[in-house]
Structure formats: structure tokens, C-alpha cells
Amino acid sequence: MRTTGITGTTGRLLASPWRRSAVAAAAGALPTLAFPAPSLWWLAPVVLVPWILLARTAPTGRRAACDGWCGGLGFMLAVHHWLLPSLNVFTVVLAALLGVLWAPWGWLVRRFLGGSPSPGRCAAALVVLPSGWLAVELVRSWQGLGGPWGMLGATQWQVAPALRLASVGGVWLVSFLLVAVNVAVAVLDAVRSARLPAVAGLAATAAAASAAWTWAPRPAPAGQVRIAVVQPGVVAGADSAEHRFALQERLTRRLAGRHPDLVVWGESSVGHDLGDRPDLARRLAALSRAVGADLLVNVDARRSDRPGIYKSSVLIGPDGPTGDRYDKMRLVPFGEYIPARSLLGWATAVGKAAGEDRRRGTHQVVMDAGRGLRIGPMVCFESAFPDMSRHLARDGAQVLLAQSSTSTFQHSWAPAQHASLAALRAAETGRPMVHATLTGVSAVYGPDGERVGSWIGTDAHTARVFDVPLAHGSTLYVRLGDWAVHAALLVLGLTCAVEALRVLRRPGRSAAAPRVPPARTAHGSPVRPGR
């Protein structure tokens, strides 16, 4: 069996553990190029190949796990590099901790592709390695670990076949198939005699995409709704909350006569609790009457009716607040609260971590915005969580809304990355999604995940109306949920069972060579059996 090894200069370079770790970190960072802002989405089917080829050549399983860890560190640091100005060195610490999640994946790469793997092992790798990758994405999707930002499948947010796959199995299915393609390409490159299972894997992936495109149910058109997004741009300095409110007020008044059905402001667009500031509530009600539509604003303030600071989506009608309110449930670690503050509170001294923890909401809310329009609000990085938009769609939301800011990361890749997530959420649920921000990027997507109109960039302060197509019916992802993750966990469970049986069946030392007392010579020296 012919294999491709690492020899010559490359082999000498990787002989040093530190150099090998640096190469692994660089290989792990490569997938970042497929995300916005570079948006080299076409790299995604091969972007893991260098990392896979490195881990398969590890001399030991421990070294392969280290390759996985270092690659994970490189990936997490690259995909979150825009946090460095806020968290400074703590960003590297977090990347190193989260990178550990990829250590078992690195071990699996060597277990199934190391040495001279048989065609059967290569075929198994096409299922086991993507399942291992999904397990990593599942664990790090817990909001306490930063949430599902940078899932590999999210790189395909503007690829129509991938969006159709998302409607079947969510972004999870897209990630699974991308990793499978990367594994197949790596096998084609490194294990020439196992080309048949690799080509079969590529064919199966193409067949899955074609089947989703042809047979997956599409939500039926159900008219359209006019939604206005108000983006004031960067407002800094003293009394910024008052100045931002006044600017949004002026921009919203320009919508009079344009007949929007709903006006959406971004995250933290109101800096005072409306119970404490009835004058602001009256001004918002006057705006609603002027434009002839309800306003969805976001209040970031200490509440007057209960202790603590909340971030809340509040619906305003012509008579003032309607009573519909959603309190943000999933907070940004370090940005809005510090996990285990008693231990990690020192993060406030090295970066811009939260000085006081925000309070969490307890449940999601679907609001009636008038004229029969039902909306499902989310706040900031909650748009990264597939389960939240899925639950809103199941509860009857016709339009998904994400109110965001990203003003801290204005000149980084973060605004574009964040805006792209809404395309996946729309495609998964078959519901249009509006991503409204204070400072850009704001974006709107239709029920299939296609872009509606153009993005509102980070250099704009404007109020823009979008004609948003509506749809009814359910996608398979809304009906079936995270079945791709459950299947991946089942594969890993079976793999662990097979590995355990293999270890138990391996002949032990005692079975191979029973211990017997050594014979002794006349001088008392022991004589070992077999000598």
C-alpha cells in the first residue's frame, strides 16, 4: 500500500515539537479565511486538509492529540482575533482552553488515517471524523464557552445548495458534510490505494446536496411585509445615549409616508428604562404614530421594576409600550457577564470585560406587531444559536429579528461575520430574518436565506425600508431538530464501543507468557525462563 509521508526539509521541520505545534496552529487557523470578511467560502471543502495530514503523521497518539489541541488554539484565536483589543491576553488564554476540545479529534485522525490505513478504515474515517468535529462544535456551542460562533458550516451562508442542506439538518449537517469532503480529499492525497472510499464519500456528499435541493420541502410564499431598519452609526462621547436616541428619532421620522409595517432599532438603542423615563416612552409613541407602525427598540438599562441590568427588546405602539418585552437570555461571556466572577474577575483589569453582570431572561417571546404580523426577537449573538430561531419559528413567528450592536468591533471582521449568521437562521427555519444593528453591518434575508436588498455597511447612518417576503410551512430542521448532532453522537458512541472491544480482545501479557518462578543455579543466581 502506497502512502504519502513527510520527508526531507518538512520532516526535519516537524521533528521539533515546538515547530510542529506552530505548524498545527497555523493549519488550524486556515478555516478562518472561509468566513467573512475574506469570505473565501470555496476554500471550505479543503481548508482542513493540511491539519488532517499533519495529525495523521503524528508519531504517537499523544502527539496527535497535541496537534489537535494546537490546531484548535489556532482556529479559535483566528476566528475570534477581533476580541484582542477588548480582552487582550485573555483572548489567548481562552483560545488555549477551548483548543483542548480538538485534542480527541486529533487522536481520531491518527487512529483512522495514520500509518497505512486500509480502505475500510478510510471509509470509517469519512463518518467518524466529521462526527468528532460535530461533537466539538456541540460542546463549544454552550453559551458559557462562547457559543456557536465560527461553526464550519456557517462559511457557506451565501451558497444556495448549502442553505438547502441547512433547511434539512441545520448548520450541523453542513459542517458534517464539509468535514467529510476534507477527509476524502486528504485520503486522496495521502492514501492512494484507498481512493475508492474517498471517491464514494465525495459522491455521497454530492448526492445528499442534490437530494436536499430536489426534494426538501420549501416554505410556500405568503406575501410580504415592509420592515424598516434604523442604523444611527457610531455615537460616542459624553451623553452618547441621549445623542443616539435623538439621532434615531430623526432618522425614524424620515420614514413617514413610506408605510412600513414595523420599524426596528438596534441593540442598546435606548439607554434608559422607560419606566424611569416616561418622556422617552412618549417620544417613542409619537414616532409610532408618525410612521404608522410599531417600533421594536432595545433597552439596555437598570430596570425600574426589578433589580439588575437587562437587555430587553420592547415593542412600542402609538399609545406607548404594548407590554410585549423580551429579556435577553444568552449573555456574551466577559462582554455582559464574567463566568465564575470570583475566580476570573481579574479579567476586568486586563480588558474591557463587564464590570457588572447583566441579568438573564427566562423564556423566548413571540410578539404581535399589529396587522397580524408575529415577530420573534433575539438580541446580539443569540442569532448564532440555531435552537433559538427554531423555537421561535415553531411558536409561530413569521419574521425573525436580531438586534445587535458590534460597535466595539467596528473595524474588524466581526460585523460581517455576525450579519452572515442570519442567512443560516433564515434558511434553517424557512422564515425571513432581519439583522438590525446600531453601527452595521445590518442585513435582511428571505425564507430561503437569500439576501434581500443590500447590506447596510459600517460607514452608514440611515433608515432603510426592506420588502421582506413571508412564507408559511415548516422546514425539516424545524420539524426534526438537531438530528445530525444526535446521529454524530451515536456514531461516536459506537466507535467507543468498538474500540473498547478491541482493547478487551487484545491478548494480555499474562495470556501470552504466564509468569513462573525463575529457577536458581547452585550459586543462587536466578535463571529466567527461555534463557
Side-chain angles (χ1 to χ4, degrees), residues 269-325:
S269 49
V270 179
H272 304 278
D273 185 80
L274 297 179
D276 281 338
R277 293 288 303 272
D279 58 315
L280 296 182
R282 288 192 294 270
R283 288 164 67 180
L284 289 169
L287 282 178
S288 175
R289 292 192 296 270
V291 301
D294 286 357
L295 276 65
L296 185 71
V297 302
N298 188 268
V299 178
D300 183 0
R302 195 175 302 278
R303 287 185 63 161
S304 58
D305 58 342
R306 63 181 64 175
I309 301 174
Y310 288 80
K311 284 192 175 182
S312 306
S313 300
V314 179
L315 192 64
I316 309 292
D319 299 319
T322 65
D324 287 325
R325 180 187 189 113

Side-chain angles (χ1 to χ4, degrees), residues 10 47 85 194 212 242 342 362 372 488:
T10 303
V47 78
E242 299 287 350
S342 59
T362 57

Side-chain angles (χ1 to χ4, degrees), residues 181 200 430:
V181 171

Side-chain angles (χ1 to χ4, degrees), residues 253-449:
R253 288 195 179 278
R254 298 178 186 176
L255 298 171
R258 301 186 62 184
H259 309 294
D261 296 298
L262 178 69
V263 179
V264 185
W265 289 12
E267 178 188 12
S268 304
S269 49
V270 179
H272 304 278
D273 185 80
L274 297 179
D276 281 338
R277 293 288 303 272
D279 58 315
L280 296 182
R282 288 192 294 270
R283 288 164 67 180
L284 289 169
L287 282 178
S288 175
R289 292 192 296 270
V291 301
D294 286 357
L295 276 65
L296 185 71
V297 302
N298 188 268
V299 178
D300 183 0
R302 195 175 302 278
R303 287 185 63 161
S304 58
D305 58 342
R306 63 181 64 175
I309 301 174
Y310 288 80
K311 284 192 175 182
S312 306
S313 300
V314 179
L315 192 64
I316 309 292
D319 299 319
T322 65
D324 287 325
R325 180 187 189 113
Y326 166 65
D327 297 323
K328 185 178 183 181
M329 296 171 59
R330 295 181 181 172
L331 305 177
V332 179
F334 299 97
E336 294 170 339
Y337 80 103
I338 296 182
R341 183 177 283 272
S342 59
L343 296 175
L344 302 177
W346 57 269
T348 59
V350 299
K352 300 176 183 177
E356 178 182 349
D357 291 351
R358 293 325 195 245
R359 302 295 182 92
R360 302 177 190 274
T362 57
H363 60 279
Q364 291 185 266
V365 176
V366 175
M367 302 178 180
D368 184 355
R371 302 187 181 100
L373 178 62
R374 292 175 59 80
I375 60 174
M378 294 173 281
V379 183
C380 191
F381 95 138
E382 288 182 331
S383 66
F385 292 86
D387 66 304
M388 296 196 74
S389 54
R390 174 173 171 258
H391 290 156
L392 288 171
R394 293 187 66 177
D395 289 343
Q398 295 170 286
V399 177
L400 304 174
L401 298 159
Q403 296 173 294
S404 183
S405 174
T406 63
S407 54
T408 305
F409 313 107
Q410 189 76 166
H411 302 292
S412 72
W413 293 354
Q417 284 185 21
H418 200 178
S420 70
L421 295 175
L424 272 298
R425 304 292 86 84
E428 288 168 342
T429 59
R431 296 293 179 267
M433 183 158 182
V434 176
H435 179 81
T437 73
L438 287 182
T439 58
V441 173
S442 296
V444 179
Y445 301 92
D448 291 327

Side-chain angles (χ1 to χ4, degrees), residues 468-500:
V468 182
L470 298 179
H472 63 77
S474 295
T475 63
L476 289 176
Y477 178 67
V478 170
R479 298 176 199 170
L480 303 178
D482 299 327
W483 63 267
V485 178
H486 301 152
L489 295 179
L490 177 61
V491 168
L492 291 178
L494 292 174
T495 301
C496 290
V498 170
E499 288 295 307

